[in-house]
Amino acid sequence: MDELLRTAHEGQILRRGIRAAIIARRTPANRACSNQLLGHERAIVSAIPGTTRDTIAETANIRGLPVVFIDTAGLREARDEIELEGVRRSRQTLEQAELLLLVFDAAEPLTEADRRSLAEFAGKKRILVRNKIDLPAQLRFPPGLQGPVVGVSCLTGQGIELLKDAIKELVWSGRSRPRCCKS
């Protein structure tokens, strides 16, 4: 019975894929990460605050696994009605995702907002992504955090293959399952 359940989960993953939400304190970081994982520029990357207000979803083949990457508008204090809807959609996406990619700026120390994200999503299956590894390192995670840590440069693509490996490992290890098949 266990073998049947295990292969049923694998079959479901291969048919439907895994929903992976990408979130960062600054939206350009998750947009750039999403573009690197997809292998093309799907999302516009802008440093202008408040320009990203919606989610973008696209499926990519990651080491033979269909992964639906959902690039979120982020979590922040909304300044207007449209931004409030973007934050609401981000929260809904994060709730429904089977896997989170939490993107942090490796060139900056951990902020209070970063600490809140780490605490808020402590119970979710996640990968901690250290972006900007091509710059001098300032980021230090507290010891004992759940989830693998992978360093990348979303500008150059450095480390993206390691991130793909970490996604595959987390999914096939049984620690991340499609919503319809969780036991």
Side-chain angles (χ1 to χ4, degrees):
M1 185 61 96
D2 287 340
E3 180 64 19
L4 184 59
L5 284 173
R6 186 187 64 74
T7 58
H9 293 304
E10 290 173 0
Q12 189 66 19
I13 289 169
L14 292 172
R15 277 189 300 285
R16 194 187 66 75
I18 290 290
R19 294 179 55 83
I22 304 171
I23 186 129
R25 183 169 24 102
R26 294 190 189 106
T27 311
N30 50 301
R31 297 283 159 154
C33 184
S34 175
N35 286 343
Q36 286 287 348
L37 286 164
L38 293 171
H40 65 279
E41 291 193 26
R42 169 65 173 90
I44 297 171
V45 178
S46 171
I48 301 170
T51 55
T52 304
R53 298 176 177 209
D54 207 352
T55 57
I56 297 174
E58 189 162 331
T59 303
N61 182 322
I62 303 297
R63 308 288 190 254
L65 301 170
V67 179
V68 182
F69 289 108
I70 305 107
D71 186 354
T72 67
L75 304 176
R76 60 184 170 274
E77 290 295 320
R79 296 182 306 246
D80 58 48
E81 188 176 312
I82 295 170
E83 203 169 6
L84 185 64
E85 177 62 15
V87 171
R88 186 194 68 75
R89 289 181 184 196
S90 292
R91 288 217 171 272
Q92 181 181 33
T93 295
L94 294 167
E95 180 62 33
Q96 294 172 349
E98 289 109 11
L99 173 64
L100 298 182
L101 302 180
L102 299 176
V103 183
F104 297 90
D105 189 331
E108 295 181 6
L110 207 60
T111 67
E112 190 54 41
D114 294 334
R115 290 179 199 286
R116 282 192 304 270
S117 287
L118 287 168
E120 181 177 354
F121 304 115
K124 294 284 282 188
K125 306 304 179 212
R126 64 187 186 181
I127 297 174
L128 308 177
V129 181
R130 296 177 65 248
N131 185 29
K132 298 186 183 180
I133 59 168
D134 51 320
L135 299 176
Q138 297 291 319
L139 178 68
R140 303 281 184 265
F141 287 120
L145 288 179
Q146 169 204 0
V149 177
V150 180
V152 303
S153 169
C154 292
L155 178 65
T156 68
Q158 179 184 357
I160 293 297
E161 296 305 313
L162 294 173
L163 179 55
K164 291 177 181 179
D165 291 341
I167 292 167
K168 179 182 177 188
E169 169 60 29
L170 194 61
V171 171
W172 282 136
S173 69
R175 293 180 295 208
S176 182
R177 293 186 175 161
R179 293 186 72 76
C180 64
C181 298
K182 289 187 179 180
S183 45

